[in-house]
């Protein structure tokens, strides 16, 4: 299951899984069903399915997992890519940071990620263990903002820092169940958000990345997720995927 799987990093991840012979439930907001239909047309309904899902809703996430079970699909990997971002300083000329805005970012990014993780873990625990005694893996998405939070990123950086911090405790909690937990912290990737920027701005951002000297390709995020799924020793860690980029203030 890939949350936020209809676009951006989530879409690239879902596509990688489908191309690699896996089956993927794209769980995303109802308004993203059209994008999911494109993937279903490309890979086939036996490879890709869509479930309308708000990650902050226990009912929606449980429903997506139930839809997998109804299709006779077991879940051995859960990838959380759903998230939002806002830009606001702790204190600006307009006054202090809006508390509701801060809470919303934490609710979607942090609480939503944990909601998916806990429910996916429950489903995975019913799987038959493999030769390594493993039943599944949970992969969450943070950001290099968790370490290099910029001006105006206090809400976003906080939400992603929490995702990074929960990685090891979740891995330790779920070890007896044979379930791993990893986090990916991507840098600057050419997602739909950056694609809306002028080409000159895109080039400027990419030029700041040491090596490779360009913006990341979402397919490279999907490739890393695939490696995490298939490598049983990757557990309890956050991997920066950023080309050695460190964000300035």
């Amino acid at each position: 299951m890939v949350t936020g799987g209809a676009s951006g990093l989530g879409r690239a991840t879902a596509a990688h899984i489908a191309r690699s012979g896996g089956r993927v439930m794209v769980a995303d907001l109802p308004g993203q069903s059209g994008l999911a239909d494109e993937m279903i047309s490309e890979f086939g309904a036996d490879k890709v399915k869509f479930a309308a899902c708000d990650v902050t809703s226990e009912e929606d996430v449980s429903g997506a997992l139930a839809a997998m079970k109804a299709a006779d699909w077991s879940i051995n990997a859960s990838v959380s890519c759903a998230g939002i971002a806002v830009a606001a300083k702790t204190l600006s000329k307009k006054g202090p940071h809006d508390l509701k805005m801060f809470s919303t970012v934490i609710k979607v990014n942090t609480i939503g990620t944990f909601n998916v993780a806990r429910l996916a873990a429950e489903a995975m625990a019913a799987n038959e263990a493999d030769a390594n005694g493993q039943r599944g893996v949970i992969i969450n998405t943070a950001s290099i903002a968790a370490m290099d939070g910029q001006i105006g990123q206090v809400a976003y950086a906080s939400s992603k820092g929490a995702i990074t911090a929960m990685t090891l405790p979740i891995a330790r909690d779920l070890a007896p169940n044979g379930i791993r937990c990893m986090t990916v912290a991507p840098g600057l990737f050419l997602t739909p958000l950056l694609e809306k920027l002028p080409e000159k701005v895109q080039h400027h951002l990419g030029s700041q990345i040491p090596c490779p000297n360009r913006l990341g390709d979402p397919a490279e995020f999907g490739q890393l997720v695939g490696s995490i799924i298939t490598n049983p020793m990757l557990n309890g860690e956050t991997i920066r995927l950023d080309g050695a980029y460190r964000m300035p203030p």
Side-chain angles (χ1 to χ4, degrees):
M1 181 173 70
V2 180
T3 66
S7 64
L9 300 179
R11 185 184 184 91
T13 298
H16 179 85
I17 292 171
R19 291 193 188 100
S20 301
R23 298 179 295 192
V24 57
M25 173 63 76
V26 173
D28 213 320
L29 294 172
Q32 300 287 64
S33 60
L35 292 174
D37 286 342
E38 293 175 5
M39 297 182 66
I40 293 172
S41 295
E42 180 179 355
F43 296 106
D46 60 328
K47 287 282 188 179
V48 179
K49 296 187 185 300
F50 174 75
C53 179
D54 177 343
V55 294
T56 66
S57 166
E58 180 172 3
E59 181 178 304
D60 282 6
V61 176
S62 295
L65 292 167
M68 294 182 72
K69 186 175 182 180
D72 201 25
W73 289 11
S74 60
I75 177 170
N76 62 357
S78 171
V79 188
S80 287
C81 293
I84 60 173
V86 299
K89 293 182 179 180
T90 304
L91 179 64
S92 69
K93 293 179 180 179
K94 297 179 181 179
H97 196 298
D98 183 80
L99 188 59
K100 185 177 180 180
M101 178 190 295
F102 188 94
S103 298
T104 298
V105 175
I106 295 296
K107 181 179 180 181
V108 174
N109 294 358
T110 306
I111 298 177
T113 293
F114 182 67
N115 186 40
V116 172
R118 71 188 186 94
L119 295 174
E122 181 183 35
M124 289 177 191
N127 292 340
E128 184 177 343
D130 64 14
N132 289 301
Q134 296 187 3
R135 293 180 171 83
V137 58
I138 292 165
I139 304 171
N140 297 326
T141 304
S143 165
I144 58 172
M147 304 83 166
D148 308 340
Q150 294 181 298
I151 293 170
Q153 281 191 331
V154 61
Y156 184 70
S158 296
S159 70
K160 295 301 186 176
I163 291 172
T164 297
M166 71 170 71
T167 307
L168 183 57
I170 290 177
R172 287 172 165 171
D173 282 350
L174 299 180
N177 303 101
I179 300 170
R180 296 181 286 128
C181 180
M182 288 288 293
T183 294
V184 179
L188 298 178
F189 276 73
L190 193 57
T191 59
L193 180 65
L194 291 188
E195 286 176 349
K196 295 178 182 177
L197 297 176
E199 188 174 339
K200 185 177 180 180
V201 177
Q202 293 181 26
H203 179 74
H204 172 69
L205 291 172
S207 69
Q208 298 179 49
I209 300 174
C211 184
N213 191 218
R214 58 168 173 78
L215 294 172
D217 183 337
E220 293 162 336
F221 180 93
Q223 182 182 4
L224 176 56
V225 169
S227 296
I228 293 172
I229 291 173
T230 56
N231 190 325
M233 281 301 288
L234 288 173
N235 193 17
E237 184 59 270
T238 295
I239 300 175
R240 290 183 67 130
L241 187 66
D242 59 12
Y245 178 59
R246 298 297 182 268
M247 293 197 295

